[in-house]
Amino acid sequence: MTRVYLEIGPKKVFACSAEWPGWCRIGRSEEEALDALVGYAPRYRVVAERAGLLFEPGDPVVVERAKGGTTTDFGAIEAIPELDGEPVPAAEAERAVALIGAAWRLFDETVAGSPEELRKGPRGGGRDRDKMTAHVIEAERAYARKIGVRHRPFGDAAGLAAMREEIAGVLARPSGGAPVVAGGWPARYAARRIAWHVIDHLWEMEDRRT
């Protein structure tokens, strides 16, 4: 089986895999979110295989429901489920970092192979390539502070590489399940949130570059 938790907002629901960081999809109901999660399994397999991992998910089984909010309805995960308070052993931490690294590489490759102007959404919205890339990096810089990694704004590849290396270094360590720093995030949630944001925009850019 594939353990899944549901983040339930007032109007939207996220279905997130407990074991595969970043494999989260949204819907207007629990059933729709679960269907979307299963439907995106082939695309997530690309990430897993890039990380050198075998990805053969079973049927989703809901193991927890967490209360979401307006951020959920806006389209971003926000709730920290109770399962993220469980210890993260060394093997899981190493696997999570491999998946995040794969997501970073795939995103960078997609950016390099995409035109600056992306196809607009159904309502004429959506960021173009460079603005989307900047958004992903700035969000990641904010997320990094939740695990004690602090970097001033940067505009070069060296600065990005340094931040990613430090994020990976923190998340590669086993964790007892408590927030990594006071007022921050547990390691399992941080890995999921960071991976999800990169992967979500990776797929958006892939969809909108043609």
Side-chain angles (χ1 to χ4, degrees):
M1 70 175 185
T2 296
R3 294 199 311 149
V4 172
Y5 76 88
L6 300 177
E7 178 179 319
I8 303 172
K11 298 179 181 178
K12 299 287 181 67
V13 178
F14 265 103
C16 293
S17 168
E19 282 90 11
W20 294 96
W23 187 25
C24 302
R25 300 316 293 163
I26 197 171
R28 290 169 292 184
S29 66
E30 294 187 9
E31 294 76 13
E32 190 175 296
L34 288 166
D35 286 346
L37 186 74
V38 172
Y40 270 75
R43 296 183 80 168
Y44 191 86
R45 180 174 289 109
V46 175
V47 180
E49 290 179 347
R50 177 59 73 90
L53 300 171
L54 181 65
F55 181 69
E56 293 183 348
D59 293 334
V61 175
V62 177
V63 296
E64 185 178 342
R65 287 173 170 81
K67 183 179 180 180
T70 55
T71 300
T72 312
D73 287 352
F74 180 73
I77 58 175
E78 66 166 329
I80 300 177
E82 291 183 5
L83 60 86
D84 285 347
E86 299 169 2
V88 178
E92 181 183 341
E94 181 180 348
R95 183 169 165 275
V97 168
L99 288 161
I100 294 169
W104 282 334
R105 292 191 296 275
L106 287 165
F107 182 79
D108 292 346
E109 290 167 11
T110 300
V111 170
S114 298
E116 159 56 16
E117 186 173 344
L118 301 174
R119 179 171 50 82
K120 300 302 180 186
R123 297 182 180 178
R127 300 177 181 89
D128 285 326
R129 182 198 63 199
D130 291 351
K131 287 187 177 180
M132 190 187 301
T133 303
H135 164 71
V136 169
I137 292 170
E138 277 303 298
E140 203 159 274
R141 201 168 64 82
Y143 298 162
R145 291 197 292 272
K146 294 292 187 176
I147 56 171
V149 175
R150 295 182 175 275
H151 282 254
R152 293 182 181 275
F154 49 80
D156 58 358
L160 176 59
M163 181 179 72
R164 287 176 171 176
E165 182 178 5
E166 196 170 346
I167 289 171
V170 172
L171 296 179
R173 297 195 292 264
S175 167
V180 177
V181 295
W185 291 340
R188 185 178 288 111
Y189 177 79
R192 182 183 308 113
R193 181 72 177 261
I194 290 168
W196 165 77
H197 195 246
V198 175
I199 292 169
D200 192 57
H201 285 293
L202 160 67
W203 290 342
E204 180 189 0
M205 192 174 296
E206 286 178 341
D207 292 342
R208 293 179 52 223
R209 66 180 179 178
T210 58

